[in-house]
Amino acid sequence: GISTVEFTPDGKHALVVESPENHVAILDVEGDKVTDSKITLPTYAFPYNVVVSPDSKLAITADNGFGGSADGNLDAVSVIDLQWPHPHVIAHITVPDAPEGLAMSPKGDLAVVASVQASNNPPAWFYHKNGVVTVLRIQGQKVTPIKTIDVGRVPEAIAFHPNGSYIYVGNYTDEDFSILRVMNGVNVVDT
């Protein structure tokens, strides 16, 4: 089943995230004509969301693991080099349990992924009171986790302000937002 589809900013491709199949399919787009490129890229278990850099050269998936819910194990994001003609996965980066929400800075220098961490399942041995956001620094094709910040319970939706100066995290169970500030380009702090 398909969990999400994201067009590259240059409009030339669409990335189709197929969760149970653990891969991303690449579609070629030319005007209103869409064709299957026959390229599928392997992710970590159960990819859920995908974002693409503003220059259309890099994509990152949030790979939820365990059929789409927390299980106490660390999970991953997959980094995809989209430079054509041969896109390929160049890294699987470990992140906390059950990453869902995912956003890319409008500048393309940061991405953020929100992990639920069983914050919706108090009886579980792997329950955490809050979810977290992992900040990923992007330097060309190199993606590095640089910080993890506590947010509310069941963080799912996440987005950057259009100028990249703030990150908004929707905490589903708490019915509120965590607001993170981006300072000096890559220093993300909780407000």
Side-chain angles (χ1 to χ4, degrees):
I2 296 169
S3 63
T4 192
V5 177
E6 182 76 21
F7 286 91
T8 57
D10 64 12
K12 294 180 181 179
H13 306 282
L15 282 67
V16 180
V17 179
E18 299 180 299
S19 298
E21 295 81 12
N22 303 325
H23 68 243
V24 174
I26 308 287
L27 302 178
D28 294 330
V29 179
E30 191 173 326
D32 58 1
K33 182 182 176 193
V34 179
T35 55
D36 185 352
S37 73
K38 307 293 187 202
I39 296 171
T40 57
L41 305 173
T43 63
Y44 177 75
F46 212 85
Y48 196 75
N49 279 310
V50 63
V51 290
V52 181
S53 62
D55 63 8
S56 301
K57 293 181 179 180
L58 189 82
I60 299 174
T61 63
D63 305 334
N64 201 265
F66 192 63
S69 60
D71 64 357
N73 296 298
L74 294 177
D75 291 310
V77 296
S78 297
V79 181
I80 302 168
D81 182 342
L82 289 175
Q83 296 180 81
W84 301 91
H86 302 287
H88 56 287
V89 174
I90 55 175
H92 296 289
I93 298 169
T94 302
V95 295
D97 191 13
E100 289 189 18
L102 180 65
M104 174 82 67
S105 163
K107 299 172 186 170
D109 56 350
L110 291 177
V112 286
V113 61
S115 295
V116 173
Q117 296 196 123
S119 55
N120 59 340
N121 190 1
W125 66 266
F126 47 88
Y127 167 77
H128 289 81
K129 181 181 175 204
N130 294 312
V132 295
V133 168
T134 302
V135 180
L136 305 166
R137 184 174 189 176
I138 301 168
Q139 298 167 291
Q141 301 304 101
K142 182 180 177 189
V143 178
T144 310
I146 58 171
K147 185 181 260 188
T148 302
I149 300 170
D150 280 351
V151 290
R153 294 180 296 157
V154 190
E156 291 183 319
I158 189 166
F160 276 84
H161 184 276
N163 71 13
S165 61
Y166 288 93
I167 300 164
Y168 307 104
V169 183
N171 302 307
Y172 179 77
T173 301
D174 289 338
E175 297 181 2
D176 66 9
F177 288 89
S178 296
I179 301 173
L180 311 177
R181 185 169 177 203
V182 181
M183 300 168 45
N184 303 320
V186 295
N187 184 25
V188 178
V189 296
D190 191 346
T191 61

